[in-house]
Amino acid sequence: GILDAFFDFGFDLALIKNQKATREDYDATWTLRLGKMALFGLCVALLSPLVADYANAPEAIGVCLIVALSIFLRGFENIGTVDFQKDLDFSRVFKLQVISKMLATLTTILLAIVLRSYWAIAIGFVTSAIYSVLFSYMMSPFRPRLRIAGISRIWGFSKWVLLVNMARQLFNSLDKLLLSSLVSKAQLGFYNVSGSLASIVTVELLSPIGSALMPGFAKLQEDRPRLRAAFMQSLAVLMAVILPAGAGVWLVAPELVRVILGS
């Protein structure tokens, strides 16, 4: 997760921001993303022995290698699907994300029934990547090509996104990294599951809304007064939803855990 932030350059956001992006820009972005995911996967694979040693879990090496493969495969996703967000066509964004995730979840459950092992989750990463790549090409007619020209323009925007993503991911993952060498794997598992449950109505609710706002703001970037007004209005609505939702989870936490996770 922490490595993910160091490789999250926001290349797709550069295309969304540029309302006049050309075929060259799309190809250059896809080339950058493919190279990034290959390097990211290689780093995960090379660091797997250190991860296993740090967490005192030899089996983590195999898991890291499978995750590295899934990361590399995701680099081949069709960059043309960015147009779904750019054109505010969120029904296609929803279909692209939900259908592939549902298929990946069903596959992982079937693997778990057959294998009776955590390897089902690890292999599920690879099947999820394969579904995402296949659906991206089925839903968009665009066919990317390797291209070096135009890379500098994309990077000029992405370097700022990288800094934001690094800070966010360190905030989200540093606690788990520190705890992995201090507590048992079972305790860390409880911590991860409870954290995920607590964030369902805040982080998980916020993420899709945020991705929908970006292309809308991009269309207003030349009209600063309207952009400022839209940003403040969006912030007000998000706060009105997120704060009560977070407080609600806090108030019913014991009951929520018993109902969803059991005693």
Side-chain angles (χ1 to χ4, degrees), residues 67-257:
V67 171
L69 175 61
S70 70
I71 290 168
F72 174 65
L73 291 174
R74 284 189 181 277
F76 289 93
E77 287 182 13
N78 190 353
I79 196 68
T81 58
V82 170
D83 284 341
F84 301 164
Q85 284 183 276
K86 200 168 184 177
D87 299 334
L88 304 179
D89 188 354
F90 294 113
S91 64
R92 297 178 80 183
V93 173
F94 178 81
K95 290 175 184 176
L96 177 65
Q97 294 180 351
V98 171
I99 294 175
S100 60
K101 286 182 179 179
M102 285 179 64
L103 286 173
T105 301
L106 289 172
T107 303
T108 304
I109 291 172
L110 289 173
L111 286 169
I113 293 172
V114 173
L115 299 177
R116 298 284 176 175
S117 167
Y118 63 85
W119 283 107
I121 300 174
I123 298 171
F125 290 144
V126 176
T127 59
S128 177
I130 292 172
Y131 288 136
S132 294
V133 172
L134 289 177
F135 273 94
S136 70
Y137 284 93
M138 289 171 60
M139 295 188 66
S140 173
F142 185 83
R143 294 296 178 264
R145 296 191 293 259
L146 291 171
R147 188 189 298 268
I148 302 299
I151 283 179
S152 59
R153 289 197 301 273
I154 303 298
W155 174 248
F157 170 82
S158 298
K159 62 187 178 185
W160 301 110
V161 177
L162 173 64
L163 291 174
V164 173
N165 289 334
M166 285 169 59
R168 182 187 297 122
Q169 195 62 41
L170 284 171
F171 174 78
N172 290 335
S173 302
L174 200 58
D175 54 343
K176 301 178 187 68
L177 177 66
L178 294 173
L179 284 172
S180 64
S181 65
L182 299 174
V183 301
S184 70
K185 286 185 279 293
Q187 289 174 313
L188 185 61
F190 282 124
Y191 180 81
N192 279 326
V193 171
S194 59
S196 298
L197 179 61
S199 67
I200 282 177
V201 294
T202 51
V203 177
E204 299 302 327
L205 184 64
L206 193 64
S207 296
I209 297 174
S211 63
L213 288 174
M214 176 63 186
F217 290 155
K219 290 184 180 297
L220 297 175
Q221 60 186 307
E222 302 300 330
D223 188 345
R224 286 305 179 92
R226 287 185 65 196
L227 177 60
R228 187 178 294 109
F231 174 78
M232 294 305 295
Q233 186 176 13
S234 303
L235 184 63
V237 171
L238 289 174
M239 294 294 283
V241 173
I242 297 300
L243 288 178
V249 171
W250 181 74
L251 289 169
V252 301
E255 292 78 12
L256 190 67
V257 170

